[in-house]
Amino acid sequence: MEKLTIETNSPEETLTLAERLAGLLAPGDVLTLEGDLGAGKTSFTKGLAKGLGIKRVVNSPTFTIIKEYKGRLPLYHMDVYRLEGSDEDLGFEEYFHGEGVTVVEWASLIEEQLPENRLAIEIHHRGEQQRQLTFIPYGDRYITLCKELQKNESTDN
Ligand code: ADP
Ligand code: MG
């Protein structure tokens, strides 16, 4: 599978989709999120958190770059927007290979530091409430994950 494209028609649908993906995640998984401001990267992350059983409120870690949440698996939420143009090394490696799941908003800004194997998620604005989510797997693990997500998609809806 090269990629999986799913459209959502409300914030709730995006949340549900992310929640479903969360159920398939394992320690050491890395997801990257791309999309303009307001595309839904943080909304998607909120769904992941919910699906991982995280009770705390997840919001954009604008000033903190990395936030860690405890759930079924730990969630490492990064928003690297502020790192544009800097080559600061915040020890990302440790998170990518940690016990938890890492999700990176604006990941292309730290492209060289990303692991080779990962699930890239691109969110495109299609309308006020419409979003197109494209899941691009890099590596076998993530191809499997996309297939699982697709399976759930066609049976749940
Ligand atoms: P980002 O982190 O990409 O800047 P946010 O998740 O913070 O984006 O904001 C997305 C905004 O778009 C929220 O206000 C959300 O309610 C709204 N929205 C409307 N439709 C959708 C949808 N289908 N999926 C996700 N968010 C949506
Ligand atoms: Mg955000």
Side-chain angles (χ1 to χ4, degrees):
M1 175 184 288
E2 270 176 41
K3 59 185 182 181
L4 171 65
T5 301
I6 298 175
E7 300 211 354
T8 65
N9 294 300
S10 66
E12 294 73 30
E13 274 187 41
T14 298
L15 201 93
T16 304
L17 174 61
E19 230 182 301
R20 202 152 57 203
L21 176 62
L24 305 169
L25 295 175
D29 280 344
V30 177
L31 315 177
T32 64
L33 286 168
E34 293 294 338
D36 295 338
L37 205 65
K41 301 181 295 298
T42 300
S43 304
F44 192 86
T45 307
K46 287 175 195 279
L48 286 175
K50 188 163 180 235
L52 289 171
I54 291 160
K55 301 281 189 290
R56 268 171 64 203
V57 175
V58 171
N59 42 40
S60 262
T62 313
F63 299 105
T64 28
I65 313 272
I66 304 174
K67 274 195 193 169
E68 193 170 335
Y69 299 89
K70 288 195 179 73
R72 172 177 76 80
L73 298 170
L75 176 68
Y76 313 127
H77 181 202
M78 304 180 185
D79 185 326
V80 300
Y81 186 69
R82 277 200 323 128
L83 291 184
E84 179 157 30
S86 90
D87 49 13
E88 217 175 325
D89 182 353
L90 294 168
F92 296 125
E93 279 290 303
E94 277 186 50
Y95 291 95
F96 297 148
H97 302 291
E99 287 301 304
V101 169
T102 306
V103 54
V104 191
E105 295 191 41
W106 300 102
S108 63
L109 297 177
I110 57 159
E111 187 83 52
E112 326 75 56
Q113 300 182 61
L114 296 174
E116 192 180 336
N117 292 340
R118 61 189 189 261
L119 180 61
I121 305 165
E122 292 174 4
I123 310 179
H124 293 277
H125 224 104
R126 287 283 181 255
E128 204 178 317
Q129 301 265 304
Q130 283 74 41
R131 300 292 187 273
Q132 179 183 290
L133 292 96
T134 306
F135 299 82
I136 307 159
Y138 295 95
D140 290 343
R141 156 70 186 141
Y142 299 99
I143 293 174
T144 307
L145 203 55
C146 281
K147 285 181 180 163
E148 289 295 314
L149 186 63
Q150 188 178 39
K151 235 191 267 174
N152 289 350
E153 178 70 10
S154 49
T155 52
D156 282 13
N157 291 334

